[in-house]
Amino acid sequence: MKNGIEDLVIFGGYPAFDDKLHVGRPNIGNRQRFLDLMDDMLDRRWFSNDGPYVKEFEKKIAEYLGVKNCIVMCNGTIALEIAIRALELKGEVIVPSFTFIATAHSLQWQEITPVFCDIDHRTHHLDPKTIEKMITPRTSGILGLHTWGRPCAIEALSDLAQKHNLKLLFDAAHAFGCSYNGRMIGNFGSAEVFSFHATKFFNTFEGGAVVTNNDDLAKKMRLMKNFGFAGYDNVIYIGTNGKMNEASAAMGLTNLESLDEFIAVNRRNYECYRSCLAGIPGITLLKHDDGEKHNYQYIILEIDEDEAGLSRDELQKVLWAENILARRYFYPGCHRMEPYRSYFPHANLLLPVTEEVAKRVMVLPTGSTIDPQSIETICQIVQLTVENGKDIKKHLMSDDL
Ligand SMILES: Cc1ncc(COP(=O)(O)O)c(C=O)c1O
């Protein structure tokens, strides 16, 4: 408990936490169950190439999402690349800049131009009103993102795609376990792509999946992720190596059994943040729609510098000093990273909301390694910092901390 600003580390106090609190430390299901699966796998000596765990994992995900086809892969980025290729996207694809760089890279890697489109400041999703202005004769598709696991404007994007004869793909890396109008994410557009990276609330160490209700597309992607092999000595398509290994699938099967617990812990944490942060000037917690299923994977704050008295970056400095490793998210935006910064040096002029949001957003630690008491401490430090925003700002500037 900090009684005044003199207790903050930046003024010479002790850190609130001895160990660093991270955003997105991996969740682990039943350890013994995983080790038993590993034992069986070692006995069987079947480590990759559509093994029994991969098959069972794909079946279970498809059932859970109510989707016809699930193809698990070695990571979400390769899954995106394969989905993009299978959909025959080319020329230009409309995509948010406010996303993890993999969304843009998965296009550019295949010489497809990501056309960065601005977002809605309330939702952080692609703004349908802006999309139409970005469509050119070279546009072949829209790659939407369910940012923070909250469903993007699915219906508006579907209408636009249909009107302009574009393919619609979703990067659903954040949205495993989330629903839209009661239907699980995974059922929309031509296909949706998940990431099961260790930092996601549901992980397979590294991993990802494409899910689709289109059987032909699924067939094509199955070939593509296995070098195009249709059987022994028979390659019928260009492909790559996108296969998930058996150890990752075993981790997935183990973690699926604990999915409800992971979500319950995230929800508890979110509710705790929600009540402890209420009323702090200039600090807004992004709310989730309680009527939908959600994984509560991200605790997202927006910091309004005028009201809070200090900027997001200054608040982050105070928190890091206390071993609270709050993160800026998708800062500074894909358009300000290479190669896009060089390709489109003036993209910022078309992305005013992205620029603004990337300056305001901060993500706080959650997951099974954080308890409500730690959350209360984090929120108390945020409150103390904002209450003394002007003095802290002056101190940080004078010390150039
Ligand atoms: C929005 C988004 N897209 C794509 C990816 C890429 O997934 P992976 O790390 O599994 O390759 C991630 C996460 O890492 C992500 O957050």
Side-chain angles (χ1 to χ4, degrees), residues 75-77 80 99-100 102-103 145 171 173-174 195 197 200 207:
N75 60 55
T77 307
L80 271 173
T99 179
F100 183 58
T103 321
L145 172 73
D171 180 338
H174 295 181
S195 164
H197 183 256
K200 301 292 184 274

Side-chain angles (χ1 to χ4, degrees), residues 63-117:
E63 275 167 17
Y64 172 64
L65 300 177
V67 68
K68 278 169 83 181
N69 305 279
C70 168
I71 304 122
V72 294
M73 302 206 194
C74 53
N75 60 55
T77 307
I78 295 282
L80 271 173
E81 285 171 15
I82 289 178
I84 287 164
R85 193 154 188 136
L87 281 169
E88 296 173 14
L89 295 181
K90 53 186 184 309
E92 295 174 0
V93 169
I94 292 170
V95 67
S97 171
F98 191 68
T99 179
F100 183 58
I101 197 71
T103 321
H105 277 358
S106 58
L107 293 162
Q108 190 65 51
W109 191 253
Q110 314 188 62
E111 308 287 331
I112 300 164
T113 304
V115 173
F116 297 122
C117 179

Side-chain angles (χ1 to χ4, degrees), residues 23-157:
V23 168
R25 282 199 87 193
N27 285 322
I28 304 170
N30 184 319
R31 198 177 279 243
Q32 195 51 51
R33 161 93 171 120
F34 173 69
L35 294 174
D36 291 346
L37 291 176
M38 284 294 87
D39 253 351
D40 285 350
M41 183 196 81
L42 293 174
D43 288 345
R44 199 165 34 233
R45 288 178 193 257
W46 191 347
F47 297 166
S48 189
N49 291 5
D50 260 339
Y53 291 157
V54 160
K55 288 206 186 94
E56 190 185 342
F57 186 39
E58 288 186 334
K59 193 162 159 271
K60 289 211 161 131
I61 295 180
E63 275 167 17
Y64 172 64
L65 300 177
V67 68
K68 278 169 83 181
N69 305 279
C70 168
I71 304 122
V72 294
M73 302 206 194
C74 53
N75 60 55
T77 307
I78 295 282
L80 271 173
E81 285 171 15
I82 289 178
I84 287 164
R85 193 154 188 136
L87 281 169
E88 296 173 14
L89 295 181
K90 53 186 184 309
E92 295 174 0
V93 169
I94 292 170
V95 67
S97 171
F98 191 68
T99 179
F100 183 58
I101 197 71
T103 321
H105 277 358
S106 58
L107 293 162
Q108 190 65 51
W109 191 253
Q110 314 188 62
E111 308 287 331
I112 300 164
T113 304
V115 173
F116 297 122
C117 179
D118 215 358
I119 51 172
D120 182 318
H121 71 97
R122 289 159 309 165
T123 62
H124 302 173
H125 294 138
L126 272 181
D127 183 352
K129 290 194 296 298
T130 320
I131 292 178
E132 209 149 24
K133 294 185 207 141
M134 314 298 278
I135 297 174
T136 75
R138 295 189 71 229
T139 310
S140 63
I142 302 170
L143 174 43
L145 172 73
H146 302 303
T147 323
W148 317 127
R150 306 190 323 165
C152 66
I154 293 175
E155 274 159 36
L157 263 56

Side-chain angles (χ1 to χ4, degrees), residues 154 158 167-170 186-192 211-214:
I154 293 175
S158 303
K167 303 269 173 55
L168 179 60
L169 174 65
F170 289 109
N187 284 281
F188 302 100
S190 294
E192 304 209 57
V211 295
T212 177
N213 286 312
N214 179 330

